[in-house]
Amino acid sequence: MAPMYIVVREIKKNKTTAAIKLRAVRTYDVPQSRFNQDIKSRECVLHDEEGAYVHLHIPGKNVSIQNKFIEGNVYCIKNFLVVQHYYTYKTCSGPHMLKLFNETLVKGYKGLDFPTHMYRLQSFTALKTVDPKVLVDVIGRVVEIYNPLDKLISGRPSRLIDFLIEDLNGNQLKCTVWDQHVEKVMPYLRKDFAEPVIVLIQMGRVKVSENSAEVKITSSYDATQLLFNGDSTEFVEFRQSLSLQQTPLKSLTSNSAYSYGNSAYSYGNSSGGDLSSSKMRIITISDIFQNREVGEFWVPAQIIGIESDVDDWFYQSCKDPGCNKKVDFLDGMFQCSKCSSRYDDCIYRYKIKVRVVDVKGTAPFLLWDREALDLVSVRADELIAKQPKVMIKIPKELKTMLGRGLFFKVNVQKNQLDNLSHAIPVMSVKHFPEMFNTYCPGLLADKDDGLSQVSDYETDSDEGFFSEEEAESPNVNAVKEQSVDVTESDAVKRSLLDQFSSTQNSKKKRVMVVKEEGDDDKET
């Protein structure tokens, strides 16, 4: 049975098993730097059947031909994460974007019934009122082009070119594009054209002068695309509407005319001690990032996804007692990076990146061996011994964590606030159901239906995702990164110290019962 598809407005941050149909509007790869062209990430902008846009992020290590997302094509995507849209300049409005991870499925859709909304054209006069942090599309006829200009920006060489475009009502808009976009404009410099030169600037950045309130459009790194004299409906309609009296195209030999060189919950003091002590601090995910809180805190949140890939939910560690540092395999021996001990074998330990949510926020947390073992109840080396030599998916035992509401003691550092791709390390995990419902009311009741069937996770509902009349592409083994929701949540303003009694730590651990997977289970 084929899955029910949702639309963008129905996306929820705590639902990871949804399916959605989207048309690719813009796909671009972001390099590591201008001197290193290795792919840092692939960014995609897509729209649903209602015309609503959404951004999708794929980290560089997971970029492949299977997740190419060709512009104009329609794709069905199932099992994805919803994370904070953290880019300064956004390709679309809305607080969230999609993120592919190890459970994601992608297939092409061949149906002809899906609508097309490739561009969101804005009028020149409306640009003063749009959100300058959201990129826009504009179309116009090029009437002036200036010579390119080479400049040093923060010590690195850059290149720009300025040009002027005009709409159907004679309104003019100044434009500046940088670096790789300059070459797109150069063929139209100092040449005579019998036909008008029409340009559609896709994903351009709006800049408003503080002094004159004048509006201009600039390129925005790799997101921007310049399309000249196309044959899409937008170009055809613009060309047909041009008046006979047109401003002639001028190439100007002068240089650029436009371009110029805390609601946390605190009890006792805020030292961030153990949950069972009177010195503790409970805080929301939103408050951490909005208020740039640094230190040790307790965060009540629910695990909704595992972001680690099949080969990085564990690491090889030192065998010395008390030393759990990573070892490297050198000259046929495992050598510790800390104590320099050498052994002919090693110990496997957990290092699991999970996605957690609270009432309004979302973030990546990192579970180390002790905390992961408490939740999974199986040692990492024992679990690895049960896996095939070539692992193709996350072990089902790890998925027993999904859907659990827990208190996480985290250690937040400044670099995690500055770089949202860094997961926050977890120092301790506690399970207090009644307190969790107080701090995150309704979160567990509203959880993803797929998370409530942990033992059946492998055979849940992906079987009907691929149908005969739709083209299939392989799994998208994507993503393990970033992001957080910085929307503020309401504080619970009453002390519950008595519920944090240390006697609760002596409760017997719940034994995890994991359903064994048959050989004929479907691979996802």
Side-chain angles (χ1 to χ4, degrees), residues 44 47 53 73 131 134 137 163 210 228 235 254 261 265 274 285 325 428 442 445 504:
C44 307
H47 75 74
Y53 274 49
N73 286 5
D131 183 351
V134 178
D137 304 338
F163 56 96
E210 295 181 358
F228 285 90
F235 282 95
S254 61
Y265 323 141
D274 287 339
I285 294 172
K325 294 299 181 181
S428 182
Q504 299 205 35

Side-chain angles (χ1 to χ4, degrees), residues 28-43 58-64 222 481:
Y28 55 97
D29 291 339
V30 179
Q32 294 287 347
S33 69
R34 65 182 305 172
F35 305 109
N36 180 359
Q37 292 302 304
D38 292 342
I39 296 176
K40 180 179 180 181
S41 68
R42 173 165 292 166
E43 308 296 334
I58 309 171
K61 67 168 290 185
N62 305 111
V63 169
S64 68
D222 303 281
E481 271 192 350

Side-chain angles (χ1 to χ4, degrees), residues 210-355:
E210 295 181 358
N211 298 325
S212 63
E214 183 181 47
V215 178
K216 67 181 294 187
I217 290 286
T218 70
S219 57
S220 184
Y221 304 102
D222 303 281
T224 300
Q225 182 169 222
L226 301 182
L227 303 171
F228 285 90
N229 293 339
D231 55 6
S232 67
T233 301
E234 291 76 13
F235 282 95
V236 172
E237 292 179 350
F238 188 93
R239 191 177 293 111
Q240 291 176 346
S241 300
L242 283 174
S243 64
L244 296 177
Q245 297 293 328
Q246 299 174 8
T247 305
L249 171 61
K250 295 184 291 183
S251 294
L252 305 181
T253 57
S254 61
N255 285 330
S256 167
Y258 320 132
S259 302
Y260 306 95
N262 193 335
S263 60
Y265 323 141
S266 299
Y267 305 103
N269 65 34
S270 299
S271 62
D274 287 339
L275 189 62
S276 58
S277 76
S278 61
K279 298 178 179 180
M280 66 179 189
R281 194 175 185 193
I282 303 176
I283 194 170
T284 67
I285 294 172
S286 302
D287 290 325
I288 290 175
F289 293 93
Q290 276 192 333
N291 303 332
R292 296 186 63 81
E293 298 277 1
V294 174
E296 297 179 2
F297 313 104
W298 286 95
V299 180
Q302 179 191 29
I303 299 175
I304 64 162
I306 299 174
E307 295 199 28
S308 294
D309 269 344
V310 295
D311 58 352
D312 68 351
W313 52 269
F314 59 88
Y315 70 101
Q316 297 171 320
S317 71
C318 181
K319 294 182 65 176
D320 269 13
C323 183
N324 57 4
K325 294 299 181 181
K326 180 182 177 182
V327 294
D328 298 310
F329 192 69
L330 301 172
D331 301 325
M333 299 284 286
F334 291 97
Q335 179 170 322
C336 180
S337 58
K338 178 182 179 183
C339 65
S340 299
S341 298
R342 291 172 61 86
Y343 294 94
D344 57 3
D345 60 355
C346 64
I347 297 175
Y348 287 95
R349 298 182 187 274
Y350 287 117
K351 186 195 69 173
I352 308 173
K353 190 173 185 179
V354 297
R355 171 65 50 175

